[in-house]
Amino acid sequence: EGYTLLGYQLHPKLTYYPRKNVRMDAGVFVQQDFGNRDFSTVVPTVSLKVTKGPFTLVFGNIESSLNHRLIEPLYDFERVLNDRLETGIQLQTITDGLFFDLWLDWQHMIYNNDPEQERFVSGLSLSKRIINKGSMQVSLPIQIQMSHKGGQINVNPPPLETVMNNAIGMEVRKEASRWIKDWMVDGFYVYYNNMSSTNVRPYKDGAGYYVNGNISTSLGLDVMVSYWQAHEFISIQGGKVYPSVSEFNYRVQQENMQLLMLRLLYNKEVVRGLIATLRVEPYYDLSYQSFQYSYGFYLQFSDRLFIANGK
């Protein structure tokens, strides 16, 4: 089903360095959906970041959303617009040839006699460069997500549930010249597994293949073609078009999924700190033999104001 997301998000925060390798951020995240006079989200945010060599430990509001660099069958791009905050603990390192992100997002806390279950999602996103020859780079990405619902102090608890999504692949990137900056080809094998003793989902496990080809131009336009083929795949936080079970109605199921997608992404820095983005994504569902599309326009502004400098 189609729907419209229109509104704004604000995240002002203060940053303080009590020590050279310790950083504290405190702020408030505000979201208002146009057509709604009330704020849909008003949440205080606090982060403590400790750096030791190439590693950074984050406690509180972690570096979330697209910062995990997960593929869309595992993480839906639209979560940036409707559920982008994550709280928990995170260990990161980003070097020239290595991206490592290990995190725990605690989504729901329970107390004694609580009627609901505790919920959390943990993940690992790893990409290691194995070849770096001239303008060509080859990397091996590994991505793991685990979702758990359970608890022992809640009343009338539903069955415990533990679900995993895994992806392993290869990425080849090559720098070009003139109007084509670089091109990239990657492919992933994606796996779903429900490890719960009592399975309440339609499928116990499933798998799929995700292949992408991307060209980045010097004009700010990226053109990407993607192909998705899966059998009985269910995602934890992935895009709504990838699973074999509808996100809107679990009775709507399609064991075998085949999608062919075209993504057009245009970025333009209007002035310093202000970036305009246009995103158009038509796709064809080979299983249902139907053509669908989505599009979006985004304005993002970020800046820093120094209030005081220490000695």
Side-chain angles (χ1 to χ4, degrees):
E1 302 292 344
Y3 66 110
T4 302
L5 301 172
L6 193 64
Y8 65 81
Q9 298 174 341
L10 298 176
H11 192 191
K13 58 185 177 181
L14 293 174
T15 299
Y16 173 61
Y17 290 87
R19 299 291 184 271
K20 182 179 180 181
N21 62 332
V22 179
R23 168 178 165 177
M24 297 187 66
D25 294 334
V28 60
F29 178 84
V30 177
Q31 177 169 326
Q32 184 176 36
D33 303 325
F34 293 170
N36 180 4
R37 294 188 177 182
D38 299 325
F39 292 111
S40 56
T41 305
V42 179
V43 179
T45 62
V46 177
S47 295
L48 175 65
K49 302 181 181 181
V50 181
T51 302
K52 185 68 173 179
F55 290 96
T56 300
L57 180 67
V58 185
F59 188 83
N61 289 95
I62 64 176
E63 301 291 336
S64 60
S65 187
L66 303 182
N67 291 302
H68 299 313
R69 302 187 187 181
L70 297 175
I71 58 176
E72 284 204 3
L74 268 60
Y75 194 92
D76 188 2
F77 170 80
E78 289 184 2
R79 293 181 66 85
V80 173
L81 306 178
N82 51 37
D83 192 13
R84 72 182 300 160
L85 293 182
E86 297 176 11
T87 52
I89 190 168
Q90 181 179 39
L91 180 64
Q92 278 187 328
T93 181
I94 304 176
T95 61
D96 184 47
L98 175 66
F99 173 81
F100 176 87
D101 187 5
L102 177 67
W103 73 94
L104 171 68
D105 173 28
W106 200 272
Q107 298 179 336
H108 185 74
M109 168 67 73
I110 63 171
Y111 302 93
N112 195 34
N113 295 324
D114 201 308
E116 298 186 27
Q117 291 178 302
E118 65 182 11
R119 301 189 304 272
F120 66 82
V121 173
S122 59
L124 169 67
S125 180
L126 170 68
S127 180
K128 172 62 177 176
R129 186 185 303 160
I130 59 173
I131 297 177
N132 187 11
K133 291 186 177 180
S135 60
M136 178 171 288
Q137 301 173 354
V138 179
S139 303
L140 293 179
I142 298 175
Q143 302 177 1
I144 302 173
Q145 265 188 317
M146 185 186 73
S147 170
H148 179 73
K149 300 178 182 179
Q152 296 179 328
I153 60 174
N154 49 336
V155 294
N156 298 321
L160 300 180
E161 183 183 67
T162 302
V163 178
M164 290 195 72
N165 284 160
N166 304 321
I168 183 170
M170 176 178 288
E171 176 187 295
V172 179
R173 184 181 298 272
K174 189 177 189 306
E175 295 180 0
S177 58
R178 296 185 180 179
W179 65 277
I180 296 181
K181 291 170 52 180
D182 61 60
W183 58 263
M184 180 273 295
V185 176
D186 65 17
F188 290 85
Y189 172 75
V190 188
Y191 181 66
Y192 149 75
N193 184 24
N194 192 332
M195 300 181 293
S196 312
S197 56
T198 302
N199 183 24
V200 297
R201 295 177 182 253
Y203 308 120
K204 178 69 174 177
D205 54 18
Y209 297 94
Y210 188 55
V211 181
N212 304 283
N214 183 82
I215 295 176
S216 298
T217 71
S218 58
L219 303 176
L221 175 66
D222 283 18
V223 180
M224 185 174 185
V225 177
S226 303
Y227 175 72
W228 168 253
Q229 178 179 327
H231 175 72
E232 297 184 353
F233 176 80
I234 297 177
S235 63
I236 297 173
Q237 294 179 322
K240 298 178 179 62
V241 299
Y242 298 97
S244 294
V245 180
S246 171
E247 296 256 344
F248 300 98
N249 184 355
Y250 73 93
R251 295 184 180 88
V252 179
Q253 302 170 13
Q254 179 73 23
E255 290 186 6
N256 298 303
M257 296 292 297
Q258 282 185 291
L259 302 174
L260 185 61
M261 304 178 177
L262 174 65
R263 292 184 175 92
L264 302 175
L265 184 66
Y266 180 73
N267 288 299
K268 177 67 175 180
E269 187 173 23
V270 182
V271 295
R272 186 176 65 87
L274 177 62
I275 298 176
T277 300
L278 177 64
R279 183 178 174 123
V280 181
E281 297 179 278
Y283 72 91
Y284 184 75
D285 191 321
L286 284 80
S287 301
Y288 283 98
Q289 295 185 352
S290 65
F291 175 81
Q292 302 290 339
Y293 62 92
S294 65
Y295 56 88
F297 178 69
Y298 314 90
L299 288 172
Q300 178 176 320
F301 178 76
S302 60
D303 200 1
R304 295 188 301 171
L305 174 65
F306 292 95
I307 298 177
N309 291 322
K311 295 182 179 179

